[in-house]
Amino acid sequence: MNEKQLRWYNIALMAFVAVWGLGNVVNNFAQQGLTVVVSWILIMALYFVPYALSVGQLGSTFKESAGGVSSWIKETSTTRLAYYAAWTYWVVHIPYLAQKPQGILVALSWLFKGNGDFVNTVDAKLVSLICLAIFLVFLWIASKGLTTLKMIGNMAGTAMFVMSLLFILLAVSAPALTGSEIATPNMGKLSTYIPKFDFSYLTTVSMLVFAVGGCEKISPYVNNTKNPSKEFPKGMLILAGMVAVCALLGSVAMGMIFDANNIPEDLMVNGAYEAFQRLGNFYNVGPLFVILYAVANSLAQISALAFSIDAPLKILLSDADPNYIPSKLSKVNKKGTPVNGYIFTGILVTILIVLPSLGIGNMNELFKWLTNLNSVVMPMRYMWVFLAFIWINKKHTEFESDYKFIKNPKVGYIVGWWLFLFTALACIFGMVPKVDYATHQTEYIFQLALNIATPIVLIALGMIMPAIARREQAKK
């Protein structure tokens, strides 16, 4: 079997499934309406294309590195920073894990009740307890092995990918095929799509960054690509084109189904289901699309929850340096499960599930807050990619690569810093709550405090671990 079997179209499709989903369209439309169309064009040109191509260069430079981003940092700087990169990759999944049970609840509500009323009728504290119970069940399942769940996850991931494309096709063609009315007036006017570049707009950029991040996941496949110096970057460019087309058409489709001037309060939670419900009515197939999407999304959320408990933790602990990670945390049982690591994960996620419900009144706001928190915390791991890119350009004489995104290392160095600082600023502005301060002052302050404290606490914990490890080494 030929090792160099992947072509540019394989790379593009693999990366597309890893990066893109219908939720990216819904969440950003919920925050910006149809002005998100111009935002997508800007984020693709100024951020995503250079991001994807810098990943291509890093993957090509460190072909033999199995540890991904932390390996790149180890090669370009120090083992201490490599530990922090691995820690960041793991710890940003804590808010992600805290939200997954909510996604499962919403999907099940639509599957069995045919609506998302559960979100608006149940108290946030009760929802948090149900979510905690779901999380603890899957924490236990993940500790027993993930083979079946991985298979389900692959199937569900493919189904979600198909549903995302189906949504665009059905929605864009609905007026012509079914005679349905376009919900947003003046969709033919250019002014409908131009954002107002004010402070409020800046607070939504982190959601765009969150949507397009994660293509570094496929960097290990550079080695398996035929003629990697040409085909891998070509695959990355095609990926950028595919994401751009889906983002633009998906946002236009949302504007055809929902009035962009009167966006429903619960769109971030129920938007995808309500969109499929309306499409089912247009095409006279009843709840068929909602059921298909709810089943696919339930399975995808369940698989993602169990897999995201296990995989990031194993990446952190698989090559654990005793100088940075205490032996108690990386200790495994007879089945190879890092039991104490699972317990530590469980404690952090439990706090993040329960604590917010004390100050956020309903599940709709809770869901939106956690989605926004993920858009602040998750991009922190992309910043390590850009640091590695900065350093390979700074030390360009030390590293050889089959493919160079930018041949001039000084320009590459500047582009690396642009990507790093843009991500950092997007995360900082993203911390500003999306609730109205005048009418929800207490909740606004509570959300702001959590948005600032969460990333600080998560990173600070990573700084405590080496101190505990050093004390442990000294005792030995």
Side-chain angles (χ1 to χ4, degrees), residues 349-468:
V349 174
T350 298
I351 293 168
L352 206 49
I353 287 175
V354 175
L355 183 64
S357 67
L358 303 177
I360 299 174
N362 61 69
M363 188 187 166
N364 184 40
E365 286 303 321
L366 204 58
F367 188 99
K368 281 160 53 176
W369 171 74
L370 257 178
T371 305
N372 281 306
L373 182 67
N374 272 296
S375 79
V376 170
V377 174
M378 197 62 87
M380 285 161 55
R381 68 189 171 114
Y382 315 153
M383 290 162 73
W384 290 104
V385 176
F386 308 138
L387 275 178
F389 187 67
I390 288 164
W391 284 325
I392 60 166
N393 280 285
K394 189 178 181 181
K395 306 174 184 178
H396 62 97
T397 53
E398 298 174 30
F399 302 107
E400 282 301 314
S401 174
D402 291 340
Y403 161 68
K404 286 192 176 177
F405 158 41
I406 296 170
K407 289 195 166 70
N408 186 324
K410 287 181 181 176
V411 177
Y413 183 74
I414 293 166
V415 169
W417 273 113
W418 154 252
L419 292 168
F420 180 89
L421 293 171
F422 184 87
T423 309
L425 287 170
C427 291
I428 291 165
F429 282 117
M431 290 177 181
V432 177
K434 308 303 182 286
V435 294
D436 182 45
Y437 179 77
T439 54
H440 299 88
Q441 193 171 344
T442 306
E443 191 170 314
Y444 183 96
I445 293 166
F446 183 76
Q447 287 194 26
L448 181 62
L450 284 177
N451 288 350
I452 294 169
T454 304
I456 291 172
V457 169
L458 294 178
I459 297 302
L461 283 170
M463 294 177 177
I464 293 168
M465 290 297 155
I468 299 170

Side-chain angles (χ1 to χ4, degrees), residues 78-81 83 321-326 462 464-467 469-470:
T78 64
T79 53
R80 177 177 285 273
L81 285 175
Y83 154 72
D321 190 322
N323 292 312
Y324 303 113
I325 296 178
I464 293 168
M465 290 297 155
R470 279 197 302 273

Side-chain angles (χ1 to χ4, degrees), residues 38-57:
V38 169
S39 298
W40 282 126
I41 293 168
L42 292 173
I43 206 82
M44 293 297 160
L46 298 174
Y47 186 79
F48 186 53
V49 170
Y51 173 8
L53 294 180
S54 65
V55 165
Q57 183 171 337

Side-chain angles (χ1 to χ4, degrees), residues 68-336:
V69 180
S70 58
S71 293
W72 299 344
I73 297 294
K74 194 174 185 177
E75 294 287 340
T76 54
S77 59
T78 64
T79 53
R80 177 177 285 273
L81 285 175
Y83 154 72
Y84 282 122
W87 175 269
T88 306
Y89 183 85
W90 171 70
V91 88
V92 297
H93 283 82
I94 298 299
Y96 180 78
L97 291 172
Q99 188 177 34
K100 282 296 153 194
Q102 292 183 348
I104 293 168
L105 274 183
V106 174
L108 293 176
S109 174
W110 278 93
L111 187 59
F112 294 111
K113 292 179 68 183
N115 60 52
D117 291 348
F118 181 82
V119 171
N120 301 313
T121 55
V122 181
D123 182 67
K125 293 182 184 68
L126 178 59
V127 168
S128 292
L129 291 174
I130 297 168
C131 288
L132 180 59
I134 291 170
F135 170 73
L136 292 174
V137 166
F138 282 98
L139 187 68
W140 178 77
I141 291 171
S143 70
K144 301 294 176 189
L146 294 161
T147 313
T148 311
L149 276 168
K150 280 182 187 174
M151 190 174 70
I152 292 169
N154 288 336
M155 288 164 55
T158 306
M160 288 290 285
F161 170 58
V162 170
M163 291 300 290
S164 296
L165 298 182
L166 184 67
F167 164 74
I168 292 170
L169 283 171
L170 291 172
V172 171
S173 56
L177 294 179
T178 68
S180 60
E181 286 186 16
I182 293 170
T184 306
N186 301 320
M187 281 191 72
K189 284 188 176 179
L190 185 63
S191 58
T192 307
Y193 304 92
I194 306 298
K196 188 180 177 185
F197 296 103
D198 54 10
F199 181 77
S200 179
Y201 177 82
L202 292 175
T203 67
T204 65
V205 173
S206 64
M207 193 66 76
L208 293 162
V209 171
F210 179 40
V212 297
C215 62
E216 67 275 3
K217 288 176 189 171
I218 64 146
S219 59
Y221 297 104
V222 175
N223 256 358
N224 305 111
T225 308
K226 186 177 180 181
N227 193 359
S229 61
K230 287 186 178 177
E231 297 228 354
F232 194 84
K234 186 178 179 182
M236 290 283 98
L237 278 171
I238 298 299
L239 161 69
M242 289 165 70
V243 169
V245 168
C246 287
L248 296 172
L249 288 179
S251 300
V252 169
M254 287 293 289
M256 294 169 82
I257 296 172
F258 298 99
D259 184 352
N261 304 311
N262 296 291
I263 295 170
E265 274 291 309
D266 65 343
L267 191 75
M268 204 175 275
V269 186
N270 291 315
Y273 301 96
E274 287 175 0
F276 277 116
Q277 188 178 53
R278 294 184 187 191
L279 287 173
N281 294 335
F282 293 161
Y283 288 92
N284 296 314
V285 293
L288 176 65
F289 297 143
V290 172
I291 292 167
L292 289 175
Y293 184 75
V295 169
N297 202 16
S298 297
L299 293 174
Q301 300 272 5
I302 286 166
S303 174
L305 175 58
F307 189 62
S308 296
I309 289 168
D310 187 67
L313 186 63
K314 283 194 173 157
I315 288 170
L316 174 66
L317 301 178
S318 60
D319 192 22
D321 190 322
N323 292 312
Y324 303 113
I325 296 178
S327 60
K328 281 186 180 177
L329 193 64
S330 51
K331 182 183 169 187
V332 295
N333 64 11
K334 290 176 185 176
K335 291 183 178 178

